[in-house]
Amino acid sequence: MSLKSIVLFLVRFLRLFITRKTLLSIQSFLSSVLNPVKTLIGKIMPNHSDDRNSDPSPPPFDPSKPSIPISYPINTLEDLDSGSYFTSFHYPFNKSTVPLRPPNPALPRRPRLLVCHDMQGGYVDDKWVQGGHNSGAYAIWHWYLIDVFVYFSHKLVTLPPPCWTNTAHKHGVKVLGTFITEWDEGKAICKELLSTKESAHKYAERLAELAVALGFDGWLINMEVQVDVGQIPNLKEFVSHLTQTMHSSLPGSLVIWYDSVTIDGDLDWQNRLNEKNKPFFDISDGIFINYTWKEDYPKLSATVAGDRKFDVYMGIDVFGRGTYGDGQWTTNVALDVIKKDDVSAAVFAPGWIYETKQPPDFQTAQNRWWDLVEKSWGILQKYPKVLPFYSNFDQGRGNHISIDGTQVLSTQWNNISLQTFQPFLEYVDNPASNTIDVCVDFNEASFSGGGNLTFKGTLEANAYVSIRLFLGELVMVGLPVHFTYSVKSEGNSQVGLFLEFSSEMEGKKTLLLASHGLNQFSSKFDEVIVPRQLRKSDIAPGWVIKESSISLNGYTLTEISAVCYRQQPENTEPESEARSRNNQDPAAYHAVLGHISISASVQNTEFPLSTSWIVEGQDVEWGGSEGSKTVRLKISWKLKDGKNTLFPRYNIYVEKLTKQAVVSLGRKLGNVALAPSDALNGESIKSKTSQPENQSRTESAGEYIGEAQIGAFFVSDLTIPPATSSLKFIIQPCDYSGASQDVDDAPFLQLNVEGH
């Protein structure tokens, strides 16, 4: 390990425990001690190499060459200025595809919660744009408690991986990247950045271009270096121009200044808003206050901010490190003070739960910690707000993936982009006190994606339990609204949906969607509706699909809850005798809720036919040996009429075919698509794709290989069995309500394997 690496390692380790001011002193001391040593070694051993006995370094990352798509930062001003990121192979894969709904919303006029992620330096499992292999990967799912999310790393330009922007936008949360300068390298960067007014404007415009192109909502600016006082005017130009350019390019965007360098050029964290940092606050959309503030600082900051007090975000470091209230499991102490003084909060590094392996496990500890936030700060986002609305309770990680109840993948995976709307589940500190436990389950069979809501426990025959799922603001107007949900249960365990509506004129109205046999508690609701059971031949056994249409013009849907109950037996045999005969615990309860879909139309989406698409592939590369071939390539697709597709995602399958394929007229051979085979090694399933004549299938027909959020997918090192003569890639569009096109009608491409 080189001396420079030793310094960086020590600095990164120590930052977990001490404040930045102390860290700067230690870093300066270590450099002053180790640099002379390095010089002395160089004189004594001129041919010495710190790394001469190490393994050869891998080739440097070349973003222009085709490879598994990743997210990565920009490390130099030269790369920022050149615009080389936009010519990168990875650029189109890093565009977020989920807009905020409604578009460009203004932040609410109330105390807000900003969350700055800072997890293990950034770009860990989340860097794999098409997904990774770690079901235990870090994720956030309490989006209903957040207003603004900042993706943070210690690189010059931190670009949020699209998975964070996609899922945050879905939940109504704005996303910011980070521009940071620190240490000696940061001083040199600032010297160039702020050399002239024109230079400051140029780099501000480059940052704005990146945010707009990649679909995120602005920047956190963190200048953690001392700046020459003569360059302060240009620093103000940089911040002001970036803010104005962002606003004109993307209404509703944000530029937030971090409380670091002062108007005098000193690196001196003020821990409150005052005359030394207010000039930067005045030309931006807000300030992220350093986290070592005192109890009266939020109130003092609010006074200085005046009518912009909600733009003051008081920092809280979850690791502690001198933060007010000590962070960690007492983070709520600081939140309570901030809320009382009516300013906003900025929670830094909630990944502490994950990084420090808080017991008993990440899922439980995360839910417990965010429950502290909810109790202190309250719920900030509500959904559903608009239609269509869909949730399969997927957290963007798991041990399998299912489609319509059929498992298509049986290995670990992670991809935060696949999160659907997350339920507002209430944390229970003592689960034993509940008759029914509910959790997002990664192991129980899913109806869609990799998760579901599993309800287990005990429930007497005439009892029911209501469990909050969503708090909404969906205005019911015009045509009926259609509710569809999937259930799998044991015995007479049943799950219904409780819906609460409100109207200024009529007050509250409660509806229960549930099967018959509810006389024992039906009086608890204004109306009980027995949903229709949908008959679908392609649904896996065990799952039941239920659907109801509701018309309540002028009402607003405010709450959706699951209701756990037992279906009463239709025969005259007492339930206790029937269960005794079947050796079942008469009180045991077990049911699974697979998904909820709400739409304004009962009609299915009209997906374009396969002939409506242009599917093209590039960068086809063959590998492997004669007995075991592999292929890697990029595939892309678009509609022939040039219209933008309205589909949020696409399932990708491959059929490995024997014998020469008969290619449909108008198709191109040699153009193909796929996903990293080492990332998703799904079990083979039989697809419904039609089979060209004179062509037979191998056992791996219809193999699921991944999911795309854009009109492109990269296949990495797909293994090809020896008998395979051609590969058929099927791209299955999926709509916002969770429906997907029949693969018989989906776009596809075939690639001839013979001769390669």
Short mmCIF file of all heavy atoms in Angstrom, two decimals, residues 100 103-107 112 148 169 174-177 207-208 211-212 215-220 241-256 283-286 308 311 313:
data_model
loop_
_atom_site.label_atom_id
_atom_site.label_comp_id
_atom_site.label_asym_id
_atom_site.label_seq_id
_atom_site.Cartn_x
_atom_site.Cartn_y
_atom_site.Cartn_z
N LEU A 100 -41.22 13.52 -11.65
CA LEU A 100 -42.05 13.88 -10.51
C LEU A 100 -43.48 14.10 -10.98
O LEU A 100 -43.72 14.63 -12.06
CB LEU A 100 -41.53 15.15 -9.84
CG LEU A 100 -40.28 14.99 -8.97
CD1 LEU A 100 -39.66 16.35 -8.68
CD2 LEU A 100 -40.60 14.27 -7.66
N PRO A 103 -45.47 17.43 -12.32
CA PRO A 103 -44.12 17.88 -12.69
C PRO A 103 -43.73 19.19 -12.02
O PRO A 103 -44.56 20.06 -11.78
CB PRO A 103 -44.22 18.04 -14.21
CG PRO A 103 -45.67 18.26 -14.48
CD PRO A 103 -46.40 17.44 -13.45
N ASN A 104 -42.43 19.28 -11.69
CA ASN A 104 -41.83 20.51 -11.16
C ASN A 104 -42.58 21.10 -9.97
O ASN A 104 -42.86 22.30 -9.92
CB ASN A 104 -41.73 21.57 -12.27
CG ASN A 104 -41.08 21.03 -13.52
OD1 ASN A 104 -40.11 20.26 -13.45
ND2 ASN A 104 -41.60 21.41 -14.67
N PRO A 105 -42.90 20.27 -8.97
CA PRO A 105 -43.63 20.83 -7.83
C PRO A 105 -42.74 21.71 -6.97
O PRO A 105 -41.53 21.47 -6.83
CB PRO A 105 -44.06 19.58 -7.06
CG PRO A 105 -42.99 18.57 -7.38
CD PRO A 105 -42.59 18.84 -8.81
N ALA A 106 -43.33 22.74 -6.38
CA ALA A 106 -42.60 23.57 -5.42
C ALA A 106 -42.57 22.85 -4.08
O ALA A 106 -43.46 22.05 -3.77
CB ALA A 106 -43.29 24.93 -5.27
N LEU A 107 -41.55 23.11 -3.29
CA LEU A 107 -41.49 22.51 -1.97
C LEU A 107 -42.59 23.09 -1.09
O LEU A 107 -42.94 24.27 -1.21
CB LEU A 107 -40.12 22.77 -1.32
CG LEU A 107 -38.95 21.97 -1.88
CD1 LEU A 107 -37.64 22.44 -1.25
CD2 LEU A 107 -39.14 20.47 -1.65
N ARG A 112 -39.28 20.88 6.44
CA ARG A 112 -39.05 19.77 5.51
C ARG A 112 -37.95 18.86 6.04
O ARG A 112 -37.17 19.26 6.91
CB ARG A 112 -38.64 20.32 4.14
CG ARG A 112 -39.59 21.37 3.59
CD ARG A 112 -38.96 22.15 2.47
NE ARG A 112 -39.71 23.36 2.16
CZ ARG A 112 -39.16 24.52 1.84
NH1 ARG A 112 -37.83 24.64 1.79
NH2 ARG A 112 -39.91 25.58 1.58
N VAL A 148 -36.58 15.78 0.36
CA VAL A 148 -35.45 15.93 -0.56
C VAL A 148 -34.42 14.86 -0.23
O VAL A 148 -34.12 14.62 0.94
CB VAL A 148 -34.80 17.32 -0.43
CG1 VAL A 148 -33.63 17.46 -1.42
CG2 VAL A 148 -35.82 18.43 -0.66
N HIS A 169 -38.52 9.90 -7.13
CA HIS A 169 -39.53 10.63 -7.90
C HIS A 169 -40.89 9.94 -7.83
O HIS A 169 -41.93 10.60 -7.75
CB HIS A 169 -39.09 10.74 -9.37
CG HIS A 169 -38.12 11.85 -9.60
ND1 HIS A 169 -37.65 12.18 -10.86
CD2 HIS A 169 -37.54 12.73 -8.75
CE1 HIS A 169 -36.82 13.21 -10.76
NE2 HIS A 169 -36.73 13.56 -9.49
N LYS A 174 -37.72 14.98 -4.27
CA LYS A 174 -36.71 15.56 -5.16
C LYS A 174 -35.33 14.96 -4.87
O LYS A 174 -35.04 14.58 -3.73
CB LYS A 174 -36.64 17.08 -4.98
CG LYS A 174 -37.90 17.82 -5.44
CD LYS A 174 -37.76 19.32 -5.17
CE LYS A 174 -39.04 20.08 -5.49
NZ LYS A 174 -39.22 20.33 -6.92
N VAL A 175 -34.48 14.91 -5.91
CA VAL A 175 -33.16 14.29 -5.80
C VAL A 175 -32.08 15.28 -6.25
O VAL A 175 -32.20 15.89 -7.31
CB VAL A 175 -33.07 13.01 -6.64
CG1 VAL A 175 -31.66 12.41 -6.58
CG2 VAL A 175 -34.09 11.98 -6.16
N LEU A 176 -31.04 15.41 -5.42
CA LEU A 176 -29.91 16.29 -5.75
C LEU A 176 -28.62 15.50 -5.86
O LEU A 176 -28.41 14.52 -5.13
CB LEU A 176 -29.73 17.37 -4.66
CG LEU A 176 -30.96 18.18 -4.24
CD1 LEU A 176 -30.55 19.25 -3.22
CD2 LEU A 176 -31.64 18.82 -5.43
N GLY A 177 -27.74 15.94 -6.77
CA GLY A 177 -26.38 15.45 -6.79
C GLY A 177 -25.52 16.33 -5.89
O GLY A 177 -26.01 17.28 -5.27
N LEU A 207 -22.82 21.79 -14.81
CA LEU A 207 -23.55 21.06 -13.77
C LEU A 207 -25.05 21.05 -14.07
O LEU A 207 -25.73 20.02 -13.91
CB LEU A 207 -23.29 21.67 -12.39
CG LEU A 207 -21.88 21.51 -11.82
CD1 LEU A 207 -21.77 22.23 -10.48
CD2 LEU A 207 -21.52 20.03 -11.65
N ALA A 208 -25.57 22.18 -14.50
CA ALA A 208 -27.00 22.25 -14.83
C ALA A 208 -27.33 21.31 -16.00
O ALA A 208 -28.37 20.63 -15.99
CB ALA A 208 -27.39 23.69 -15.17
N ALA A 211 -27.63 17.71 -14.69
CA ALA A 211 -28.86 17.45 -13.92
C ALA A 211 -30.06 17.30 -14.84
O ALA A 211 -30.86 16.37 -14.69
CB ALA A 211 -29.09 18.57 -12.91
N VAL A 212 -30.19 18.19 -15.81
CA VAL A 212 -31.33 18.15 -16.72
C VAL A 212 -31.28 16.89 -17.59
O VAL A 212 -32.29 16.20 -17.79
CB VAL A 212 -31.38 19.42 -17.59
CG1 VAL A 212 -32.45 19.30 -18.66
CG2 VAL A 212 -31.64 20.65 -16.71
N GLY A 215 -31.97 13.81 -15.40
CA GLY A 215 -33.31 13.77 -14.82
C GLY A 215 -33.38 13.95 -13.32
O GLY A 215 -34.41 13.64 -12.73
N PHE A 216 -32.32 14.46 -12.68
CA PHE A 216 -32.44 14.77 -11.25
C PHE A 216 -32.64 16.26 -11.07
O PHE A 216 -32.64 17.03 -12.03
CB PHE A 216 -31.29 14.19 -10.42
CG PHE A 216 -29.91 14.66 -10.79
CD1 PHE A 216 -29.33 15.73 -10.13
CD2 PHE A 216 -29.15 13.99 -11.74
CE1 PHE A 216 -28.04 16.16 -10.43
CE2 PHE A 216 -27.86 14.40 -12.05
CZ PHE A 216 -27.31 15.49 -11.39
N ASP A 217 -32.79 16.71 -9.82
CA ASP A 217 -33.44 18.00 -9.57
C ASP A 217 -32.55 19.12 -9.04
O ASP A 217 -33.08 20.16 -8.62
CB ASP A 217 -34.58 17.78 -8.56
CG ASP A 217 -35.51 16.67 -9.01
OD1 ASP A 217 -36.18 16.85 -10.04
OD2 ASP A 217 -35.56 15.62 -8.33
N GLY A 218 -31.23 18.95 -9.06
CA GLY A 218 -30.39 20.04 -8.62
C GLY A 218 -29.15 19.56 -7.89
O GLY A 218 -28.73 18.40 -8.03
N TRP A 219 -28.58 20.46 -7.07
CA TRP A 219 -27.26 20.21 -6.50
C TRP A 219 -27.15 20.68 -5.05
O TRP A 219 -27.71 21.70 -4.67
CB TRP A 219 -26.19 20.95 -7.32
CG TRP A 219 -26.07 20.44 -8.71
CD1 TRP A 219 -26.67 20.93 -9.82
CD2 TRP A 219 -25.31 19.29 -9.13
NE1 TRP A 219 -26.34 20.18 -10.92
CE2 TRP A 219 -25.51 19.17 -10.53
CE3 TRP A 219 -24.49 18.38 -8.48
CZ2 TRP A 219 -24.90 18.16 -11.28
CZ3 TRP A 219 -23.89 17.37 -9.22
CH2 TRP A 219 -24.10 17.27 -10.61
N LEU A 220 -26.38 19.91 -4.29
CA LEU A 220 -25.82 20.36 -3.02
C LEU A 220 -24.40 20.83 -3.30
O LEU A 220 -23.60 20.07 -3.88
CB LEU A 220 -25.80 19.22 -2.00
CG LEU A 220 -25.06 19.50 -0.68
CD1 LEU A 220 -25.79 20.55 0.15
CD2 LEU A 220 -24.86 18.22 0.13
N HIS A 241 -25.27 31.76 -10.48
CA HIS A 241 -25.51 31.37 -11.87
C HIS A 241 -26.04 29.94 -11.96
O HIS A 241 -26.92 29.65 -12.78
CB HIS A 241 -24.23 31.52 -12.70
CG HIS A 241 -24.45 31.43 -14.18
ND1 HIS A 241 -25.20 32.34 -14.88
CD2 HIS A 241 -24.04 30.50 -15.08
CE1 HIS A 241 -25.22 32.01 -16.16
NE2 HIS A 241 -24.53 30.88 -16.31
N LEU A 242 -25.52 29.07 -11.10
CA LEU A 242 -26.01 27.70 -11.08
C LEU A 242 -27.48 27.68 -10.67
O LEU A 242 -28.30 26.98 -11.30
CB LEU A 242 -25.18 26.85 -10.11
CG LEU A 242 -25.66 25.41 -9.90
CD1 LEU A 242 -25.69 24.63 -11.21
CD2 LEU A 242 -24.77 24.69 -8.88
N THR A 243 -27.83 28.45 -9.66
CA THR A 243 -29.23 28.49 -9.20
C THR A 243 -30.14 29.02 -10.29
O THR A 243 -31.20 28.43 -10.58
CB THR A 243 -29.34 29.38 -7.95
OG1 THR A 243 -28.44 28.89 -6.93
CG2 THR A 243 -30.75 29.39 -7.40
N GLN A 244 -29.75 30.12 -10.92
CA GLN A 244 -30.59 30.71 -11.96
C GLN A 244 -30.70 29.80 -13.18
O GLN A 244 -31.79 29.67 -13.77
CB GLN A 244 -30.01 32.07 -12.37
CG GLN A 244 -30.08 33.12 -11.26
CD GLN A 244 -29.32 34.39 -11.63
OE1 GLN A 244 -29.04 34.64 -12.80
NE2 GLN A 244 -28.98 35.18 -10.63
N THR A 245 -29.59 29.16 -13.56
CA THR A 245 -29.60 28.27 -14.73
C THR A 245 -30.46 27.05 -14.46
O THR A 245 -31.22 26.60 -15.34
CB THR A 245 -28.17 27.86 -15.10
OG1 THR A 245 -27.36 29.03 -15.29
CG2 THR A 245 -28.16 27.04 -16.39
N MET A 246 -30.37 26.50 -13.26
CA MET A 246 -31.20 25.36 -12.91
C MET A 246 -32.68 25.75 -12.95
O MET A 246 -33.51 25.01 -13.49
CB MET A 246 -30.84 24.84 -11.51
CG MET A 246 -29.57 23.99 -11.43
SD MET A 246 -29.56 22.49 -12.44
CE MET A 246 -31.13 21.73 -12.06
N HIS A 247 -33.01 26.90 -12.40
CA HIS A 247 -34.42 27.32 -12.36
C HIS A 247 -34.98 27.53 -13.77
O HIS A 247 -36.14 27.17 -14.04
CB HIS A 247 -34.55 28.61 -11.56
CG HIS A 247 -34.35 28.42 -10.09
ND1 HIS A 247 -34.40 29.46 -9.19
CD2 HIS A 247 -34.10 27.31 -9.35
CE1 HIS A 247 -34.18 29.00 -7.97
NE2 HIS A 247 -33.99 27.70 -8.05
N SER A 248 -34.17 28.10 -14.65
CA SER A 248 -34.67 28.35 -16.00
C SER A 248 -34.73 27.06 -16.82
O SER A 248 -35.61 26.90 -17.68
CB SER A 248 -33.79 29.38 -16.71
OG SER A 248 -32.45 28.91 -16.83
N SER A 249 -33.82 26.12 -16.55
CA SER A 249 -33.79 24.86 -17.29
C SER A 249 -34.78 23.86 -16.74
O SER A 249 -35.35 23.05 -17.48
CB SER A 249 -32.38 24.24 -17.24
OG SER A 249 -31.41 25.12 -17.74
N LEU A 250 -35.00 23.91 -15.42
CA LEU A 250 -35.86 22.93 -14.76
C LEU A 250 -36.61 23.62 -13.62
O LEU A 250 -36.14 23.67 -12.49
CB LEU A 250 -35.03 21.76 -14.22
CG LEU A 250 -35.80 20.62 -13.55
CD1 LEU A 250 -36.68 19.92 -14.56
CD2 LEU A 250 -34.85 19.63 -12.89
N PRO A 251 -37.78 24.18 -13.90
CA PRO A 251 -38.56 24.82 -12.83
C PRO A 251 -38.80 23.85 -11.68
O PRO A 251 -39.07 22.67 -11.89
CB PRO A 251 -39.88 25.18 -13.53
CG PRO A 251 -39.51 25.31 -14.97
CD PRO A 251 -38.44 24.28 -15.22
N GLY A 252 -38.68 24.37 -10.46
CA GLY A 252 -38.84 23.52 -9.29
C GLY A 252 -37.55 22.90 -8.81
O GLY A 252 -37.53 22.21 -7.78
N SER A 253 -36.45 23.12 -9.52
CA SER A 253 -35.16 22.55 -9.13
C SER A 253 -34.59 23.29 -7.93
O SER A 253 -35.05 24.38 -7.56
CB SER A 253 -34.18 22.59 -10.30
OG SER A 253 -34.02 23.92 -10.77
N LEU A 254 -33.54 22.70 -7.33
CA LEU A 254 -32.96 23.24 -6.10
C LEU A 254 -31.44 23.29 -6.18
O LEU A 254 -30.80 22.38 -6.71
CB LEU A 254 -33.33 22.35 -4.90
CG LEU A 254 -34.81 22.15 -4.56
CD1 LEU A 254 -34.95 21.11 -3.46
CD2 LEU A 254 -35.44 23.46 -4.15
N VAL A 255 -30.88 24.35 -5.61
CA VAL A 255 -29.45 24.42 -5.34
C VAL A 255 -29.31 24.78 -3.87
O VAL A 255 -29.81 25.82 -3.42
CB VAL A 255 -28.74 25.46 -6.22
CG1 VAL A 255 -27.28 25.62 -5.78
CG2 VAL A 255 -28.82 25.07 -7.69
N ILE A 256 -28.67 23.90 -3.10
CA ILE A 256 -28.54 24.09 -1.66
C ILE A 256 -27.06 24.23 -1.30
O ILE A 256 -26.22 23.43 -1.73
CB ILE A 256 -29.20 22.94 -0.89
CG1 ILE A 256 -30.71 22.96 -1.14
CG2 ILE A 256 -28.90 23.01 0.60
CD1 ILE A 256 -31.48 21.87 -0.44
N ILE A 283 -28.53 33.63 -2.35
CA ILE A 283 -28.45 33.42 -3.80
C ILE A 283 -28.68 31.95 -4.18
O ILE A 283 -28.43 31.55 -5.32
CB ILE A 283 -27.11 33.90 -4.37
CG1 ILE A 283 -25.93 33.23 -3.66
CG2 ILE A 283 -27.00 35.42 -4.28
CD1 ILE A 283 -24.56 33.60 -4.21
N SER A 284 -29.17 31.17 -3.22
CA SER A 284 -29.45 29.76 -3.48
C SER A 284 -30.84 29.43 -2.94
O SER A 284 -31.56 30.31 -2.45
CB SER A 284 -28.39 28.86 -2.83
OG SER A 284 -28.42 29.00 -1.42
N ASP A 285 -31.20 28.17 -3.00
CA ASP A 285 -32.53 27.74 -2.55
C ASP A 285 -32.56 27.28 -1.11
O ASP A 285 -33.63 26.89 -0.61
CB ASP A 285 -33.05 26.62 -3.45
CG ASP A 285 -33.23 27.08 -4.88
OD1 ASP A 285 -34.00 28.03 -5.10
OD2 ASP A 285 -32.60 26.49 -5.79
N GLY A 286 -31.42 27.30 -0.45
CA GLY A 286 -31.41 26.87 0.94
C GLY A 286 -30.00 26.62 1.42
O GLY A 286 -29.04 26.65 0.64
N ARG A 308 -37.95 32.96 4.95
CA ARG A 308 -37.35 31.78 4.29
C ARG A 308 -36.86 30.76 5.32
O ARG A 308 -35.96 29.96 5.05
CB ARG A 308 -36.19 32.21 3.39
CG ARG A 308 -36.59 32.93 2.11
CD ARG A 308 -35.38 33.07 1.20
NE ARG A 308 -34.85 31.78 0.79
CZ ARG A 308 -33.61 31.58 0.37
NH1 ARG A 308 -32.75 32.59 0.29
NH2 ARG A 308 -33.19 30.36 0.01
N ASP A 311 -36.20 27.15 4.43
CA ASP A 311 -35.05 26.87 3.57
C ASP A 311 -33.78 26.65 4.37
O ASP A 311 -32.70 26.45 3.79
CB ASP A 311 -34.84 28.01 2.57
CG ASP A 311 -36.01 28.16 1.61
OD1 ASP A 311 -36.71 27.16 1.37
OD2 ASP A 311 -36.23 29.29 1.11
N TYR A 313 -31.88 24.13 6.63
CA TYR A 313 -31.89 22.70 6.95
C TYR A 313 -30.81 22.43 8.00
O TYR A 313 -29.62 22.41 7.69
CB TYR A 313 -31.63 21.86 5.70
CG TYR A 313 -32.67 22.04 4.61
CD1 TYR A 313 -32.60 23.12 3.71
CD2 TYR A 313 -33.72 21.15 4.48
CE1 TYR A 313 -33.55 23.28 2.71
CE2 TYR A 313 -34.68 21.30 3.48
CZ TYR A 313 -34.59 22.37 2.60
OH TYR A 313 -35.53 22.54 1.63
#
